[in-house]
Amino acid sequence: MSTASKSQQDIASQDRELNRAILAGDILNAFEKFYATDVVMQENDSEPFVGKELNRKREQDFVNSVEQLHGAKLLGEAVNGDRSYSEWEYDVTFKGGKRTKMQQVSARQWRGGQVVHERFYYKGQ
C-alpha cells in the first residue's frame, strides 16, 4: 500500500471518528481532540476565524445557543487526499427561537491527524 493511500485511510478513519462524536453530541471534546492549534474555520464566504482559542469559543457559543437537538443525520461522507467532506442534516431548536431544520456540508483539510481548515457550506438564513 502506498503512503498516500495509507494516509487517506487514516484521514477517513479520523473523519469517521469525528463525525461519530458529533452525532453523539460530544462536539466540544471532539473539537479538543481533532482540531489543530492553528485551525482556520469559515462559514460560507464569510471571513475566516483563525486559531483554536477563538474557534473553541465559537463552538461553545453554538452549543450554548441550542435549546434542544431533535436530531442529527450524517447523509454522506467522502475523503480525497488530505480533504474530507461530510453532508449533514440537523433538526434543532435554538434558545428563544423556533425549531429549524438545517442542511450543511463540512469541508475539512487535515494535517498530522488534525483538522487545519474547515469550511461550512449552507443556505444562509
Side-chain angles (χ1 to χ4, degrees):
M1 176 182 306
S2 75
T3 304
S5 54
K6 169 86 170 97
S7 174
Q8 188 164 327
Q9 284 181 343
D10 291 345
I11 290 169
S13 175
Q14 291 161 331
D15 194 62
R16 275 192 303 275
E17 187 178 344
L18 172 54
N19 288 340
R20 280 194 301 269
I22 292 167
L23 286 167
D26 198 14
I27 295 168
L28 298 176
N29 286 327
F31 181 81
E32 290 306 318
K33 180 176 181 178
F34 288 104
Y35 288 75
T37 303
D38 58 345
V39 66
V40 174
M41 297 176 81
Q42 187 173 4
E43 307 280 333
N44 285 323
D45 61 354
S46 297
E47 289 296 313
F49 296 90
V50 179
K52 192 166 189 173
E53 186 175 329
L54 175 61
N55 283 298
R56 179 186 300 112
K57 180 179 179 342
R58 294 181 67 246
E59 291 294 309
Q60 183 68 57
D61 289 347
F62 173 78
V63 169
N64 291 340
S65 75
V66 174
E67 182 175 306
Q68 184 175 1
L69 178 63
H70 306 284
K73 237 194 270 191
L74 178 60
L75 302 175
E77 56 192 341
V79 173
N80 184 23
D82 66 349
R83 296 181 184 271
S84 64
Y85 306 88
S86 305
E87 183 179 3
W88 294 91
E89 185 174 271
Y90 297 102
D91 183 3
V92 63
T93 299
F94 291 101
K95 292 177 181 171
K98 62 181 181 171
R99 187 169 176 170
T100 305
K101 289 195 177 186
M102 304 167 23
Q103 295 85 29
Q104 75 174 19
V105 172
S106 170
R108 301 177 183 128
Q109 182 176 6
W110 294 78
R111 180 185 68 225
Q114 293 192 307
V115 177
V116 293
H117 190 272
E118 184 170 40
R119 188 169 180 178
F120 301 100
Y121 296 92
Y122 53 89
K123 183 178 178 183
Q125 300 294 339

